[in-house]
Structure formats: structure tokens, C-alpha cells
Amino acid sequence: MGGGGGGGEGSKGDKSSLNVLSQARMILWMTRGMTTLLLWICVVQLLTVGEIWGPRLLKTWPSCYTSKQSESIHSSSSSSFLESKVYLPPKRYYKNNGYLMVSCNGGLNQMRGAICDMVAVARYLNVTLIVPELDKSSFWADPSDFEDIFDVDHFIRSLRDEVRILKELPPNIKRRGRIRSLAPISWSDISYYHNQILPLIQRFKVVHLNRTDARLANNGLPLEIQKLRCRVNFSGLKFTPQIEELGKKVVNILRKKGPFLVLHLRYEMDMLAFSGCTQGCNNEEVEELTRMRYAYTWWKEKEINSDFKRKEGLCPMTPEETALVLRALSIDRNIQIYIAAGEIYGGERRMATLAGEFPNLVRKETLLDPLELGFFQNHSSQMAALDYLVSLESDIFVPTYDGNMARVVEGHRRYLGFKKTIRLDRKVLIDLIDRYSEGSLNWEEFSNTVKEVHADRMGRPARRVMISDRPKEEEYFYANPYECLDS
């Protein structure tokens, strides 16, 4: 019996030891699990602090980074536009007054400014913005959608602390079918949208603005509105990864050979037909441009005096005039000149003088393999996006006409640290060119005067020129958004 009792006690001891061992293992696993969980929570919290509060400390409502901060971001690489930090700001919660749909009109950079304006309007009205629709019916007939040009997810996420943005109307709202469509008044201040547009949104729940070009004033707006326009332009609107990667490649190719100048030579057929400027064109070309101008009914001006417009400085400079001006400004004839433009009207015949004076002319078509550009063919806005990126990174930017790309790039380069942009005074230049051609000015007089005229037109810090009763003639907000610049 004693032996039997001893065996039972041993069995109980073994079971007790097993229980203790099992409990110890369970405690160990629980400890490991809790430690892992706590470490994971710490990591998430650190990331949250770094990603959310770090960037938010750099901005006021609405956010606008300073140019010094942007310089530190952009100085790390010649192609720094690809390396800006991505973060997710916390969502802003507000009572939604309705939905704002917008259809942008015009070329890429006209639409870019309009998108920035409409984000600011939506924020001010406390409405939900639907991702803007891009123009597909203009002269360029580009079928690209927003997401084909811009990183739509970044656009939505990066601005979520200011305004709610959706890719499309919610199904229940769409089913109602009550949408009020109208074109807002040009150059309106924010009170117009509060007093005229907001009541329509509250009544119909959805308002569609079918034109957006220059529908928000350049001046006289609250500082927070101006800063939000900047934030959208410089941070919220990123091109797609495909466009940015190809832009980076072009810049790297150029940088390997030294400094480069981007010449925005706005001497394409559509510009000449629209403006009626025919300097240097033969009779057949003049007739072709005239026919084109009359073919587009929404181009209101039909009978145009080309000579008068040219002398008033209202025409894009010709390639021949541009060559003369660049020489007068003592631009190194061996510098690489990247032509940021579509097909130059008149082709090689009109480019001969410029190519003779500056032999290192290049275009994206000559720098990239045709297969690389194949995806972008027949998509003018995507091609313009490539030119935009290269223009931002150039050592010197020279536009020959003050169109939308020239102005928006100029403002963006100011934001990146007042990078050198030569704004040509075309009215003065045409007078000087004609006098030089007639022999009343020698080369030294001509060159010195050109330099004197442009000494203060290099994109340096300055207040925006305001003309309160003629907003169309005043300086464009996006060309000089000084409210967002640290000079």
C-alpha cells in the first residue's frame, strides 16, 4: 500500500510540475505578446507625431510652407520635386453644406490655377468638393482625366485637414438628379461665393460651376484663403508618378551636361491664330492662321491688326526676335536651351536663326526615346506637365509670352527660392529691336539698354501689381503669390 501511495504522490508531483511549466510558458507568451503590442503602439504613436504634428507645426490655417522651408526640401537634389515628404494630416470635420462640382476650362496651367481656386472656395463654404473635371473640348482636345495628370489620392489625402474631397458624388445624392449649373462671375471676391453660390448649394445640395478660369480675385481676399491657394498649388497638386519620373529623367540628362535654360517659346499655331500675330509669316501662313481663328467661334476677336498688337507688346516674340534678345542679355551661346513648347509654327525655317546663335537646342522629343513619350502622345496636358517640371528645375526660365504656363511657373519658381526668371518686356523690346534693325541703335547700345530694362525683371521679391478697376490687367496671383513667400 505504501508503494501504491508513493506512486500516486509521484504522479501528482509530475502533474503539478507540468501545470507550473504550462503556466510559466503562458505567462512568457503573454509577456512577449504584450511587449510586442506596446512596442507597436509606440511606433505608431511616433509615426503619428512625426507625420502629422511635425508638418502641422510648419503651417498656419490654411497651410502654406515658406520658401526657406521649400528650399531645404528642394536643395537635396536637382530633381527634388519628386522627393517632397508625404504625410496624412488629420481630417477636418465640419457640417457639410452640400457638394461642389467644377468643370475646368483651358490648358493645363489655366486649369491648375482654377483647381486651386475651387479648393479655396469649397473650404470657405464648408462644402464637399468633387474631384474637378478637366477640359476635353478645347483646342487641344486632350482626353486626359484628373487622375491621368495629377496624383488624385495625394490630392484628396493631403488636403483633408481643410476640405472633404470625393472622387464622385455619393450614389444617394446622384440619384436625386438636382444639380444647379452655372458659370461664376470672373474675378469675384469670396463674398460673392458666400452670398450667391452658397444659397444655391444649400437649396439644390449640388452646384456645378461649368467655367472656372479666373473666377476668383487676385487681391482683396483673406490671408488664409490666399495661403490655401498656395498650399494646393505647391503641395496638393502633384503630377502622377509616371509624369514625375519622366520629368526627373529629362532633368538628370540635362544636368549631366551642365546648366540649362528653359525657353518657353510660345510660337505654336494655336497661339498665333488666336492672337492674330503674324510677324515673319508668309502669305500662305497668314491665310491659314486667319482661317483657323474664324473656325473657333469662342475666339471672339476676329479682325486683328498684327503690326499694332506687336508694337503694343501683345504678341509672343518670334524665334528670330528671341535669339536677338538672348544675345543682348549675354546668355552663354553654349548653354543648353530646352524648348518647352509644342510644335513651332514654321518649323526649322523659323528656328534657324535661334539654332544658329544657340546651337545646343534640345526638346523632350530629342532627349527621350520615342517609346518613353509614346504614352503621352496626343495628350497635350501631359506633355505640358513634363515641360512644367523641367521648367521648375532650370537654372534660368525665359517665357516669350505671358500666358498661363509662363505665369504659373514664374510664381512656383519664386516659391522655390526666387529662382531666376527673365520676364521679357515685349513692348520695350519690340521698339528696341526695330530701332536696332533700322540702324538707329548700334549693338552695344541695344544690348546695354536691354540689360538695363530687365535688371529688375528677374523674378526677385516684389509686391504684386494691383489694378483694382481692371483685374484682367493686373498681375496674376499665381505669378507672384507674395503672401506665401518668405523674402
Side-chain angles (χ1 to χ4, degrees):
M1 292 187 61
E9 288 174 7
S11 175
K12 289 179 182 179
D14 292 342
K15 288 180 180 178
S16 177
S17 297
L18 288 171
N19 286 338
V20 170
L21 182 61
S22 177
Q23 289 176 359
R25 286 176 177 172
M26 186 177 295
I27 291 171
L28 178 61
W29 282 108
M30 288 178 65
T31 302
R32 286 178 176 175
M34 291 298 293
T35 302
T36 301
L37 180 60
L38 287 170
L39 286 172
W40 178 248
I41 291 172
C42 289
V43 168
V44 171
Q45 289 295 321
L46 286 170
L47 286 174
T48 302
V49 170
E51 298 282 28
I52 295 176
W53 290 109
R56 285 183 68 80
L57 291 173
L58 300 177
K59 62 190 183 72
T60 56
W61 186 96
S63 305
C64 181
Y65 301 117
T66 66
S67 61
K68 284 185 179 179
Q69 289 157 350
S70 95
E71 283 182 74
S72 67
I73 293 172
H74 288 269
S75 63
S76 60
S77 162
S78 65
S79 303
S80 52
F81 52 77
L82 295 173
E83 300 172 9
S84 56
K85 187 172 178 59
V86 176
Y87 68 93
L88 289 180
K91 289 182 180 180
R92 172 175 171 256
Y93 293 96
Y94 56 94
K95 180 183 177 182
N96 181 34
N97 285 322
Y99 298 86
L100 181 65
M101 302 176 67
V102 297
S103 294
C104 302
N105 57 293
L108 173 67
N109 294 289
Q110 181 169 298
M111 293 191 290
R112 185 186 184 101
I115 292 166
C116 300
D117 291 347
M118 292 302 109
V119 169
V121 168
R123 168 63 176 86
Y124 184 81
L125 299 183
N126 283 332
V127 299
T128 296
L129 177 68
I130 306 303
V131 169
E133 178 186 27
L134 303 189
D135 192 342
K136 298 181 178 65
S137 60
S138 65
F139 167 81
W140 301 276
D142 187 333
S144 300
D145 291 315
F146 187 100
E147 59 269 24
D148 296 322
I149 299 173
F150 299 108
D151 185 335
V152 65
D153 292 324
H154 171 82
F155 177 67
I156 293 170
R157 291 195 302 258
S158 66
L159 297 169
R160 67 182 192 170
D161 60 334
E162 300 292 0
V163 63
R164 183 181 180 221
I165 304 174
L166 300 178
K167 292 182 180 179
E168 58 182 4
L169 281 173
N172 62 316
I173 301 296
K174 192 183 296 185
R175 283 194 297 270
R176 293 180 57 181
R178 294 186 68 203
I179 299 177
R180 177 74 163 86
S181 185
L182 74 156
I185 296 173
S186 298
W187 314 112
S188 296
D189 63 22
I190 203 68
S191 64
Y192 163 81
Y193 287 93
H194 185 270
N195 297 330
Q196 302 295 323
I197 303 301
L198 181 57
L200 291 175
I201 295 176
Q202 291 172 327
R203 178 182 174 187
F204 292 95
K205 292 302 177 186
V206 183
V207 163
H208 171 223
L209 301 182
N210 54 34
R211 292 189 71 84
T212 55
D213 57 314
R215 305 295 156 149
L216 190 59
N218 291 313
N219 304 296
L221 300 178
L223 181 60
E224 60 267 22
I225 294 293
Q226 301 290 56
K227 287 192 172 184
L228 181 54
R229 295 167 91 181
C230 290
R231 179 181 170 190
V232 180
N233 191 25
F234 304 137
S235 178
L237 286 176
K238 283 181 59 179
F239 293 120
T240 63
Q242 294 87 347
I243 293 174
E244 297 227 350
E245 283 296 334
L246 204 54
K248 178 180 180 180
K249 182 171 184 178
V250 172
V251 171
N252 287 340
I253 291 171
L254 291 165
R255 281 272 173 248
K256 286 178 182 177
K257 296 184 179 180
F260 67 96
L261 177 152
V262 167
L263 181 64
H264 182 41
L265 189 60
R266 194 69 171 96
Y267 204 75
E268 299 113 325
M269 186 178 183
D270 67 291
M271 171 52 67
L272 301 182
F274 173 76
S275 65
C277 298
T278 57
Q279 175 74 10
C281 296
N282 59 39
N283 291 335
E284 290 181 3
E285 291 170 335
V286 172
E287 290 175 6
E288 182 180 42
L289 295 172
T290 302
R291 285 196 302 271
M292 183 179 181
R293 183 165 63 255
Y294 277 88
Y296 288 89
T297 56
W298 56 87
W299 290 356
K300 296 179 182 179
E301 197 175 8
K302 303 298 182 184
E303 291 295 325
I304 298 175
N305 185 325
S306 177
D307 290 337
F308 175 78
K309 287 194 73 171
R310 176 176 174 271
K311 290 178 179 178
E312 289 296 307
L314 301 175
C315 286
M317 301 200 72
T318 69
E320 297 87 353
E321 292 166 345
T322 302
L324 202 59
V325 170
L326 293 181
R327 271 188 60 208
L329 289 167
S330 296
I331 299 297
D332 183 353
R333 79 180 305 270
N334 293 312
I335 194 172
Q336 300 173 95
I337 296 184
Y338 176 92
I339 305 296
E343 183 178 352
I344 301 302
Y345 192 63
E348 291 183 8
R349 175 178 65 85
R350 298 305 303 272
M351 292 293 289
T353 301
L354 183 60
E357 294 289 350
F358 297 92
N360 293 324
L361 297 182
V362 296
R363 304 170 60 94
K364 51 188 170 292
E365 293 85 355
T366 62
L367 297 174
L368 297 171
D369 188 284
L371 292 176
E372 293 177 296
L373 277 177
F375 181 79
F376 299 93
Q377 294 297 333
N378 302 317
H379 294 80
S380 61
S381 290
Q382 295 182 45
M383 296 286 265
L386 283 177
D387 285 343
Y388 187 97
L389 290 173
V390 179
S391 298
L392 289 187
E393 295 295 319
S394 65
D395 297 278
I396 308 172
F397 177 62
V398 183
T400 60
Y401 186 73
D402 54 356
N404 289 295
M405 177 171 171
R407 295 183 294 176
V408 176
V409 169
E410 178 190 353
H412 206 150
R413 286 173 64 86
R414 287 178 185 269
Y415 173 77
L416 295 177
F418 300 99
K419 301 175 77 172
K420 189 173 183 178
T421 299
I422 304 177
R423 297 182 299 115
L424 301 180
D425 188 329
R426 295 189 306 282
K427 186 173 182 178
V428 172
L429 284 173
I430 292 304
D431 177 62
L432 292 173
I433 289 170
D434 288 346
R435 288 165 59 192
Y436 172 71
S437 300
E438 293 163 0
S440 59
L441 285 178
N442 62 37
W443 176 255
E444 186 176 359
E445 292 170 331
F446 173 71
S447 179
N448 288 340
T449 307
V450 169
K451 290 173 182 173
E452 288 173 11
V453 167
H454 293 88
D456 295 325
R457 298 176 67 87
M458 299 287 181
R460 304 311 303 164
R463 300 286 287 185
R464 199 165 51 250
V465 177
M466 304 181 190
I467 309 174
S468 58
D469 58 335
R470 299 195 305 277
K472 190 175 181 179
E473 298 176 26
E474 67 184 3
E475 193 171 10
Y476 188 42
F477 172 77
Y478 294 103
N480 184 12
Y482 68 80
E483 296 91 335
C484 310
L485 309 178
D486 182 8
S487 58

